[in-house]
């Protein structure tokens, strides 16, 4: 049996409830039919949001392993791990003998994906969601692949109700705030998030404004950039807070005391997967962030 490489792309489930899935060869080869759900009983999940969706669809009994970014719900942390999604090992994946691999498009490196192409399992790439519509599309895509369309529809409907409630809250109380997100992972220099980042998207979804204007992507954080941004809230992840040395260390970062956030001690941390994952809990994350900067 040869390995078929697939990339799950566009999903038009919003058109009268009819879903269309395009599966293309990772090597630009001719498309190969997706195996039916009953033949995908041993699933390897790569990417925290992908794994969350599998659990939310009540299909976790099929999971045989995941990467280290897959730690929610708590049971997901206890399954066999194959390393970090961006630095995978072909040997580690094949040792688990998956029928199919559901992977975020961040999975790599490319050389490993090429190795896996001829090794015996189906690889399905799930796009990184850029907004809630993307989350809904991914839920429906994975639901289709796993034969869990009913569960997917229920989950999307529940999330859409949460989204509607959030939009009503924003319409009723139009207060806003300037929020800056600091990324500090892996011991490197801290970075601040501009536009076209998951941090920017969740800040805006909460009804706030990204205080870092005119910058795309991440840029090194400097005292000048903090002072110029004048954030009302400084936001980071819980892991970033730990690696910075805790809340006192965050308060002492040069430039922090020159901002409204620093003067008012408005520094907050949220779980990284919850905040930036754009998965089933994204509306919950936006509401939690909104409550944080409104306090």
């Amino acid at each position: 049996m040869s390995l078929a490489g697939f990339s799950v792309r566009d999903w038009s489930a919003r058109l009268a409830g009819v879903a269309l899935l395009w599966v293309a060869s990772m090597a630009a080869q001719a498309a190969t039919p997706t195996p039916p759900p009953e033949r995908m009983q041993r699933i390897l999940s790569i990417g925290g949001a992908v794994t969350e969706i599998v659990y939310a669809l009540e299909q976790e009994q099929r999971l045989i392993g995941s990467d280290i970014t897959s730690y929610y719900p708590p049971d997901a942390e206890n399954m066999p791990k194959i390393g970090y999604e961006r630095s995978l090992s072909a040997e580690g994946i094949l040792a688990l003998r998956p029928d199919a691999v559901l992977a975020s498009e961040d999975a790599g490196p490319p050389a490993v994906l090429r190795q896996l192409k001829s090794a015996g399992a189906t690889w399905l790439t799930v796009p990184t969601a850029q907004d809630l519509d993307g989350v809904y599309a991914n839920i429906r895509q994975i639901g289709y692949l796993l034969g869990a369309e009913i569960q997917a529809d229920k989950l999307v409907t529940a999330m859409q109700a949460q989204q509607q409630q959030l939009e009503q809250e924003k319409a009723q109380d139009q207060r806003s705030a300037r929020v800056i997100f600091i990324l500090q992972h892996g011991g490197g220099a801290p970075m601040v998030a501009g536009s076209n980042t998951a941090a920017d998207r969740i800040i805006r979804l909460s009804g706030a404004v990204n205080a870092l204007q005119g910058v795309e992507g991440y840029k090194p954080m400097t005292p000048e950039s903090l002072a110029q941004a004048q954030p009302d809230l400084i936001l980071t992840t819980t892991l970033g807070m730990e690696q910075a040395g805790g809340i006192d260390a965050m308060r002492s970062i040069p430039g922090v005391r020159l901002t409204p956030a620093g003067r008012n001690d408005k520094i907050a941390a949220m779980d990284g997967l919850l905040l930036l994952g754009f998965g089933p809990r994204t509306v919950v994350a936006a509401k939690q962030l909104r409550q944080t900067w409104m306090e």
Side-chain angles (χ1 to χ4, degrees), residues 193-217:
S195 62
N196 198 28
T197 62
D200 176 72
R201 290 187 284 272
I202 196 69
I203 288 170
R204 289 188 287 110
L205 184 60
S206 78
V209 174
N210 187 347
L212 190 66
Q213 298 293 313
V215 174
E216 183 170 343

Short mmCIF file of all heavy atoms in Angstrom, two decimals, residues 193-217:
data_model
loop_
_atom_site.label_atom_id
_atom_site.label_comp_id
_atom_site.label_asym_id
_atom_site.label_seq_id
_atom_site.Cartn_x
_atom_site.Cartn_y
_atom_site.Cartn_z
N ALA A 193 3.46 41.17 18.69
CA ALA A 193 2.66 40.71 17.56
C ALA A 193 1.98 41.87 16.84
O ALA A 193 1.22 42.63 17.44
CB ALA A 193 1.61 39.71 18.03
N GLY A 194 2.24 41.96 15.54
CA GLY A 194 1.54 42.93 14.71
C GLY A 194 0.37 42.28 14.00
O GLY A 194 -0.20 41.29 14.47
N SER A 195 0.00 42.82 12.86
CA SER A 195 -1.13 42.28 12.09
C SER A 195 -0.75 40.94 11.46
O SER A 195 0.41 40.56 11.41
CB SER A 195 -1.56 43.28 11.02
OG SER A 195 -0.50 43.49 10.09
N ASN A 196 -1.75 40.25 10.96
CA ASN A 196 -1.57 38.95 10.31
C ASN A 196 -0.93 37.93 11.25
O ASN A 196 -0.08 37.14 10.85
CB ASN A 196 -0.74 39.09 9.03
CG ASN A 196 -0.88 37.87 8.11
OD1 ASN A 196 -1.91 37.20 8.12
ND2 ASN A 196 0.15 37.58 7.34
N THR A 197 -1.36 37.94 12.50
CA THR A 197 -0.94 36.96 13.49
C THR A 197 -2.17 36.46 14.22
O THR A 197 -3.20 37.14 14.27
CB THR A 197 0.04 37.57 14.51
OG1 THR A 197 -0.63 38.63 15.22
CG2 THR A 197 1.30 38.10 13.86
N ALA A 198 -2.06 35.28 14.81
CA ALA A 198 -3.17 34.74 15.59
C ALA A 198 -3.48 35.66 16.77
O ALA A 198 -4.64 35.84 17.15
CB ALA A 198 -2.84 33.33 16.08
N ALA A 199 -2.42 36.26 17.35
CA ALA A 199 -2.63 37.17 18.48
C ALA A 199 -3.46 38.38 18.06
O ALA A 199 -4.39 38.80 18.77
CB ALA A 199 -1.28 37.62 19.04
N ASP A 200 -3.15 38.94 16.91
CA ASP A 200 -3.91 40.09 16.41
C ASP A 200 -5.37 39.70 16.19
O ASP A 200 -6.29 40.46 16.54
CB ASP A 200 -3.29 40.58 15.10
CG ASP A 200 -4.09 41.70 14.45
OD1 ASP A 200 -4.05 42.82 14.98
OD2 ASP A 200 -4.75 41.44 13.42
N ARG A 201 -5.61 38.52 15.64
CA ARG A 201 -6.97 38.11 15.32
C ARG A 201 -7.81 37.88 16.58
O ARG A 201 -8.99 38.23 16.63
CB ARG A 201 -6.95 36.86 14.43
CG ARG A 201 -6.43 37.14 13.03
CD ARG A 201 -6.58 35.93 12.13
NE ARG A 201 -5.59 34.91 12.39
CZ ARG A 201 -4.39 34.86 11.81
NH1 ARG A 201 -4.02 35.79 10.96
NH2 ARG A 201 -3.54 33.87 12.09
N ILE A 202 -7.21 37.29 17.62
CA ILE A 202 -7.99 37.04 18.84
C ILE A 202 -8.21 38.36 19.60
O ILE A 202 -9.27 38.55 20.22
CB ILE A 202 -7.30 35.99 19.74
CG1 ILE A 202 -8.29 35.45 20.79
CG2 ILE A 202 -6.06 36.52 20.41
CD1 ILE A 202 -9.39 34.61 20.23
N ILE A 203 -7.26 39.27 19.54
CA ILE A 203 -7.44 40.58 20.17
C ILE A 203 -8.62 41.29 19.54
O ILE A 203 -9.50 41.83 20.23
CB ILE A 203 -6.15 41.43 20.04
CG1 ILE A 203 -5.06 40.88 20.98
CG2 ILE A 203 -6.44 42.91 20.38
CD1 ILE A 203 -3.69 41.48 20.74
N ARG A 204 -8.68 41.30 18.21
CA ARG A 204 -9.76 41.98 17.52
C ARG A 204 -11.10 41.27 17.73
O ARG A 204 -12.14 41.91 17.84
CB ARG A 204 -9.44 42.11 16.03
CG ARG A 204 -8.31 43.11 15.77
CD ARG A 204 -8.11 43.39 14.29
NE ARG A 204 -7.47 42.27 13.61
CZ ARG A 204 -8.07 41.49 12.74
NH1 ARG A 204 -9.37 41.66 12.45
NH2 ARG A 204 -7.43 40.51 12.14
N LEU A 205 -11.07 39.94 17.79
CA LEU A 205 -12.30 39.20 18.04
C LEU A 205 -12.89 39.55 19.40
O LEU A 205 -14.12 39.58 19.57
CB LEU A 205 -12.04 37.69 17.94
CG LEU A 205 -13.25 36.77 18.09
CD1 LEU A 205 -14.29 37.05 17.00
CD2 LEU A 205 -12.81 35.31 18.06
N SER A 206 -12.04 39.86 20.35
CA SER A 206 -12.52 40.21 21.69
C SER A 206 -13.13 41.60 21.75
O SER A 206 -13.73 41.98 22.75
CB SER A 206 -11.37 40.12 22.71
OG SER A 206 -10.51 41.24 22.62
N GLY A 207 -12.94 42.38 20.68
CA GLY A 207 -13.44 43.75 20.67
C GLY A 207 -12.39 44.78 20.99
O GLY A 207 -12.69 45.98 21.05
N ALA A 208 -11.15 44.34 21.20
CA ALA A 208 -10.06 45.26 21.52
C ALA A 208 -9.31 45.65 20.25
O ALA A 208 -9.61 45.20 19.15
CB ALA A 208 -9.12 44.63 22.55
N VAL A 209 -8.30 46.49 20.41
CA VAL A 209 -7.46 46.95 19.32
C VAL A 209 -6.04 46.48 19.57
O VAL A 209 -5.55 46.56 20.71
CB VAL A 209 -7.49 48.50 19.23
CG1 VAL A 209 -6.50 49.00 18.19
CG2 VAL A 209 -8.89 48.99 18.93
N ASN A 210 -5.38 46.00 18.54
CA ASN A 210 -3.97 45.65 18.67
C ASN A 210 -3.18 46.94 18.78
O ASN A 210 -3.19 47.78 17.86
CB ASN A 210 -3.51 44.85 17.46
CG ASN A 210 -2.10 44.30 17.62
OD1 ASN A 210 -1.36 44.70 18.51
ND2 ASN A 210 -1.73 43.38 16.75
N ALA A 211 -2.51 47.13 19.90
CA ALA A 211 -1.78 48.38 20.14
C ALA A 211 -0.58 48.55 19.22
O ALA A 211 -0.08 49.67 19.06
CB ALA A 211 -1.33 48.45 21.60
N LEU A 212 -0.11 47.44 18.63
CA LEU A 212 1.04 47.52 17.72
C LEU A 212 0.51 47.75 16.30
O LEU A 212 0.15 46.81 15.60
CB LEU A 212 1.87 46.25 17.79
CG LEU A 212 3.22 46.31 17.07
CD1 LEU A 212 4.14 47.32 17.75
CD2 LEU A 212 3.88 44.94 17.06
N GLN A 213 0.46 49.00 15.89
CA GLN A 213 -0.10 49.36 14.60
C GLN A 213 1.02 49.51 13.55
O GLN A 213 2.16 49.86 13.87
CB GLN A 213 -0.87 50.68 14.71
CG GLN A 213 -2.06 50.62 15.66
CD GLN A 213 -3.17 49.71 15.15
OE1 GLN A 213 -3.56 49.77 13.99
NE2 GLN A 213 -3.68 48.86 16.03
N GLY A 214 0.66 49.25 12.29
CA GLY A 214 1.60 49.47 11.19
C GLY A 214 2.69 48.45 11.08
O GLY A 214 3.68 48.66 10.36
N VAL A 215 2.55 47.32 11.76
CA VAL A 215 3.56 46.26 11.72
C VAL A 215 2.88 44.95 11.37
O VAL A 215 1.82 44.63 11.93
CB VAL A 215 4.30 46.13 13.08
CG1 VAL A 215 5.25 44.94 13.07
CG2 VAL A 215 5.03 47.41 13.41
N GLU A 216 3.47 44.19 10.47
CA GLU A 216 2.92 42.89 10.12
C GLU A 216 3.80 41.79 10.70
O GLU A 216 5.03 41.88 10.65
CB GLU A 216 2.83 42.72 8.60
CG GLU A 216 2.19 41.39 8.19
CD GLU A 216 1.87 41.32 6.71
OE1 GLU A 216 1.84 42.38 6.06
OE2 GLU A 216 1.67 40.21 6.22
N GLY A 217 3.16 40.77 11.25
CA GLY A 217 3.91 39.67 11.83
C GLY A 217 4.51 40.04 13.18
O GLY A 217 4.05 40.96 13.86
#
